[in-house]
Amino acid sequence: MKMMDIYNKLLKTLGEQKWWPAKTPFEVVVGAILTQRTKWENVAKAIHELEKNDLLDPDALSSVDKSRLESLIKGTGFYRQKAERLQTVSKYFAKNGISSLTKKPAGVLRNELLSLKGIGKETADSILLYALDKPKFVIDAYTVRICKCLGISGGYDRLQEKFESALPKDVTLFKEFHALLVEYGKRYCNKNRCDKCILLPAKD
DNA sequence: CACCAGGTTGACC
DNA sequence: GGTCAACATGGT
């Protein structure tokens, strides 16, 4: 089964997801850190708390008292390291600015993000795709699991290469496809259960 | 009570 | 190169 066939089947089954739920690019960045190993529902509450305190801004977030930030995001778990990571990435965005970052090549940007402590491949690619509109395909735990069910093997790099080489470099498509994979994973292919019957088996 | 959630890191082999 | 515990709260 081709990648586009999988996409079309997911789209038809689940409908459009229209990710990422955020009002601004920087809110995507914040969400990308907070959602690490955490349910989005808890992340949404934390982001609302930050918004109420006028902290959804690189300058404000990088200069806020750390213990106060920790208490505001406690519900997302790993709150001490996430507070640290948020301030690290906030300083980076405060220094550079969204519009100037958007002009940089994706590869350069990706390496800069990966050099920040607390930003690994998935978080970096989520920021590139959903905050800066770069055509990078995001691979997450659900995507790996679903691909395995479909007979598509590989870790992060290999799977990313497979998606990116098989699809047109369309930011909107990349965004929607990843969102669909996560939604499908949550419903049908997670640690608790995996209904392999909904999607047809694919060749590697 | 046990297990998991839209990961990353550093230690170890 | 790969594997593993630590990080921590909230929901089933």
Side-chain angles (χ1 to χ4, degrees):
Chain A
M1 192 181 230
K2 290 181 177 178
M3 288 296 185
M4 276 308 286
D5 295 330
I6 297 172
Y7 171 76
N8 286 321
K9 183 126 191 170
L10 287 173
L11 184 58
K12 192 173 180 183
T13 306
L14 302 172
E16 276 201 296
Q17 305 299 306
K18 298 179 179 169
W19 270 19
W20 190 293
K23 294 172 194 154
T24 65
F26 187 67
E27 192 178 317
V28 175
V29 177
V30 171
I33 298 288
L34 293 180
T35 198
Q36 291 172 352
R37 209 59 202 169
T38 303
K39 286 191 176 124
W40 182 259
E41 187 182 322
N42 296 325
V43 175
K45 288 178 191 165
I47 288 180
H48 187 58
E49 284 302 304
L50 295 176
E51 184 180 31
K52 279 198 300 188
N53 287 273
D54 295 312
L55 291 172
L56 283 182
D57 164 86
D59 291 308
L61 201 54
S62 57
S63 59
V64 71
D65 179 68
K66 186 153 172 238
S67 58
R68 183 168 159 232
L69 177 55
E70 287 177 355
S71 69
L72 289 171
I73 65 171
K74 187 148 23 175
T76 67
F78 306 122
Y79 61 89
R80 277 190 283 264
Q81 48 177 333
K82 282 179 181 175
E84 180 73 35
R85 292 171 182 186
L86 280 178
Q87 299 207 292
T88 299
V89 73
S90 293
K91 281 172 193 159
Y92 174 75
F93 276 84
K95 182 181 286 186
N96 296 284
I98 299 275
S99 58
S100 108
L101 289 177
T102 306
K103 291 169 190 160
K104 291 194 184 188
V108 174
L109 218 40
R110 190 173 196 262
N111 285 331
E112 289 183 2
L113 289 170
L114 287 175
S115 74
L116 303 179
K117 185 139 67 172
I119 298 193
K121 291 172 185 171
E122 181 179 342
T123 306
D125 290 335
S126 296
I127 292 171
L128 288 175
L129 179 62
Y130 291 103
L132 303 174
D133 288 322
K134 303 289 186 184
K136 266 281 148 199
F137 204 92
V138 179
I139 306 296
D140 73 319
Y142 288 124
T143 306
V144 175
R145 229 179 270 132
I146 293 166
C147 283
K148 190 174 281 186
C149 285
L150 297 176
I152 304 171
S153 63
Y156 196 102
D157 295 338
R158 186 119 172 270
L159 287 181
Q160 183 175 56
E161 173 56 28
K162 286 182 180 181
F163 278 97
E164 292 187 359
S165 62
L167 298 168
K169 292 225 177 318
D170 182 332
V171 170
T172 305
L173 171 66
F174 281 19
K175 287 181 179 178
E176 186 60 29
F177 201 162
H178 176 247
L180 284 164
L181 286 166
V182 173
E183 184 56 29
Y184 179 81
K186 284 201 268 205
R187 293 199 204 176
Y188 307 115
C189 190
N190 52 57
K191 286 262 180 176
N192 297 315
R193 75 187 141 120
C194 181
D195 309 335
K196 301 183 182 181
C197 48
I198 294 186
L199 292 169
L200 299 173
K203 285 177 188 168
D204 191 342

